[in-house]
Every structure is written in structure tokens, then in C-alpha cells.
């Protein structure tokens, strides 16, 4: 297992643990949300991070790590929602929700491993602020596709962008951990 895969395992375990605990507390209440609502939740989190980065102020006090975790989980919820229909149960049993979470997370990690190979781990040399900008760009693309009722001329659609949001958020979590351990 590569260093990146090990780091991903640590961060994804944290994200999944939070998803599981919240699912135990709230059930799958998020199933009521339409994809644009999930996209907007991701936007709120990314926009807050950018605002804190630009102003240098965090008046609420919540750690931005939590916002990256939330973006991972909201994007995975969106990937799940995209594949379920309105005829599927609104409330999913915990085991099914976790299975769907794991399936979508593994597909996303597979995408990361392929891109990471081709790009040579370029993300390790990127600023966290640049990755947040890329997340915000992906969100704008998703919103445009949603506004076009899913019709695209050349792009792959929203699924790839949600997966990229998960991976960029995980990269940011890894970089934050690295920065905290080198201080």
C-alpha cells in the first residue's frame, strides 16, 4: 500500500465514522434532499473555508477539517442519491446506507488512484487554497449542469465532479494533517 493509500485510509475512516454516527442519530434523513440541495450544502462548506482563508478569521470556531469531512460525506450522499430513485425507500437501514457509502467511496478512491498515477501526485505540491478553489469550480459546474436538467454537450456530467470533490477534500485533510505534524 502506498503512502497516499495509507493516508486516504486514515482520512476516509474518519469521514465514514462520522457518517455512521450521524446515520445512527438521524437515520437517512438526507434522502429527502434533492441533488441541488446537496450541491448547495457542499457549496456552503467550501465557501466558508474560502472565507476563513481570505479573512484569516474564524468567528464560529469550528475547525475547517470538519468542513472538509462534511464535503466528503455530502458528496458521497449525492453519489448515492444519484443512483437511487424516488421509488427507493426514503429511509435506508444503517447497513444498506453504509454499504452504499463504501461502494461509492471505493469507486472514488479508484478514480483518485488512476489520476494520482497519471498526474504524479501533483496535489502534494498544491496549496490547500487552490484545492478549495477547484472544489468551488466543480460545484459551479455541477450547478450549471443541474440548471440544464442534466443535459451536457461534452462533459461527463455531475458524477465525476462529486468524485473530484471527495478526492480534493481528502487531499486537503491529508495536507492539513501534514502541516500540523510538521509544526
Amino acid at each position: 500500500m502506498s503512502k497516499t493509500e495509507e493516508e486516504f485510509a486514515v482520512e476516509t475512516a474518519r469521514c465514514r465514522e462520522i457518517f455512521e454516527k450521524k446515520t445512527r442519530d438521524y437515520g437517512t434523513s438526507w434522502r429527502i434532499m434533492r441533488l441541488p440541495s446537496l450541491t448547495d450544502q457542499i457549496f456552503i462548506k467550501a465557501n466558508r473555508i474560502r472565507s476563513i482563508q481570505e479573512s484569516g478569521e474564524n468567528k464560529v470556531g469550528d475547525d475547517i477539517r470538519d468542513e472538509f469531512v462534511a464535503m466528503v460525506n455530502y458528496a458521497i450522499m449525492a453519489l448515492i442519491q444519484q443512483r437511487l430513485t424516488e421509488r427507493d425507500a426514503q429511509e435506508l437501514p444503517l447497513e444498506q446506507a453504509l454499504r452504499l457509502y463504501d461502494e461509492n467511496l471505493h469507486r472514488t478512491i479508484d478514480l483518485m488512484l488512476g489520476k494520482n498515477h497519471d498526474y504524479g501526485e501533483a496535489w502534494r505540491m498544491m496549496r490547500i487554497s487552490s484545492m478549495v478553489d477547484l472544489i468551488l469550480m466543480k460545484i459551479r459546474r455541477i450547478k450549471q449542469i443541474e440548471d440544464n436538467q442534466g443535459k451536457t454537450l461534452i462533459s461527463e456530467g455531475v458524477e465525476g465532479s462529486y468524485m473530484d470533490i471527495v478526492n480534493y477534500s481528502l487531499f486537503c485533510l491529508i495536507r492539513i494533517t501534514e502541516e500540523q505534524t510538521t509544526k
Side-chain angles (χ1 to χ4, degrees), residues 89-157:
Q90 284 295 308
E91 187 60 36
L92 302 174
L94 176 65
E95 298 75 27
Q96 183 182 8
L98 292 174
R99 181 180 52 76
L100 291 168
Y101 184 97
D102 291 342
E103 287 172 8
N104 284 283
L105 180 61
H106 287 91
R107 286 185 323 110
T108 301
I109 291 171
D110 287 345
L111 175 68
M112 178 278 300
L113 290 171
K115 285 185 174 186
N116 210 32
H117 172 270
D118 290 353
Y119 288 96
E121 296 206 332
W123 64 271
R124 290 193 183 274
M125 294 169 268
M126 292 176 65
R127 295 173 185 95
I128 293 172
S129 60
S130 295
M131 288 188 271
V132 171
D133 288 350
L134 288 169
I135 290 168
L136 286 163
M137 180 189 69
K138 297 289 182 177
I139 294 166
R140 293 187 92 167
R141 288 179 179 180
I142 292 168
K143 285 181 165 209
Q144 184 63 49
I145 292 168
E146 289 170 346
D147 290 348
N148 292 340
Q149 285 74 48
K151 294 181 179 82
T152 61
L153 299 175
I154 194 167
S155 68
E156 73 256 2

Side-chain angles (χ1 to χ4, degrees), residues 28-41:
T28 53
S29 57
W30 53 267
R31 283 277 295 127
I32 197 73
M33 296 178 81
R34 292 170 281 199
L35 283 174
S37 299
L38 288 165
T39 303
D40 285 343
Q41 287 299 309

Side-chain angles (χ1 to χ4, degrees), residues 5-173:
E5 288 174 285
E6 289 174 13
E7 293 167 323
F8 256 64
V10 169
E11 298 302 339
T12 58
R14 287 182 190 157
C15 295
R16 187 187 188 278
E17 178 183 7
I18 290 169
F19 177 84
E20 180 176 353
K21 286 179 178 178
K22 288 193 175 197
T23 302
R24 287 182 189 280
D25 285 349
Y26 306 128
T28 53
S29 57
W30 53 267
R31 283 277 295 127
I32 197 73
M33 296 178 81
R34 292 170 281 199
L35 283 174
S37 299
L38 288 165
T39 303
D40 285 343
Q41 287 299 309
I42 299 165
F43 169 74
I44 289 167
K45 301 300 184 182
N47 200 55
R48 177 174 183 263
I49 293 167
R50 184 173 173 160
S51 175
I52 291 168
Q53 289 172 332
E54 289 179 349
S55 72
E57 280 187 90
N58 180 351
K59 291 191 176 186
V60 176
D62 295 339
D63 188 356
I64 64 166
R65 288 185 63 83
D66 297 336
E67 304 295 13
F68 285 113
V69 169
M71 287 193 294
V72 167
N73 287 338
Y74 279 124
I76 291 176
M77 288 175 205
L79 290 167
I80 293 169
Q81 285 289 69
Q82 189 179 25
R83 291 177 173 246
L84 297 177
T85 67
E86 289 187 24
R87 289 176 290 199
D88 290 311
Q90 284 295 308
E91 187 60 36
L92 302 174
L94 176 65
E95 298 75 27
Q96 183 182 8
L98 292 174
R99 181 180 52 76
L100 291 168
Y101 184 97
D102 291 342
E103 287 172 8
N104 284 283
L105 180 61
H106 287 91
R107 286 185 323 110
T108 301
I109 291 171
D110 287 345
L111 175 68
M112 178 278 300
L113 290 171
K115 285 185 174 186
N116 210 32
H117 172 270
D118 290 353
Y119 288 96
E121 296 206 332
W123 64 271
R124 290 193 183 274
M125 294 169 268
M126 292 176 65
R127 295 173 185 95
I128 293 172
S129 60
S130 295
M131 288 188 271
V132 171
D133 288 350
L134 288 169
I135 290 168
L136 286 163
M137 180 189 69
K138 297 289 182 177
I139 294 166
R140 293 187 92 167
R141 288 179 179 180
I142 292 168
K143 285 181 165 209
Q144 184 63 49
I145 292 168
E146 289 170 346
D147 290 348
N148 292 340
Q149 285 74 48
K151 294 181 179 82
T152 61
L153 299 175
I154 194 167
S155 68
E156 73 256 2
V158 299
E159 183 174 82
S161 291
Y162 283 128
M163 294 170 102
D164 287 343
I165 289 167
V166 170
N167 286 326
Y168 281 125
S169 296
L170 290 166
F171 290 152
C172 289
L173 287 166

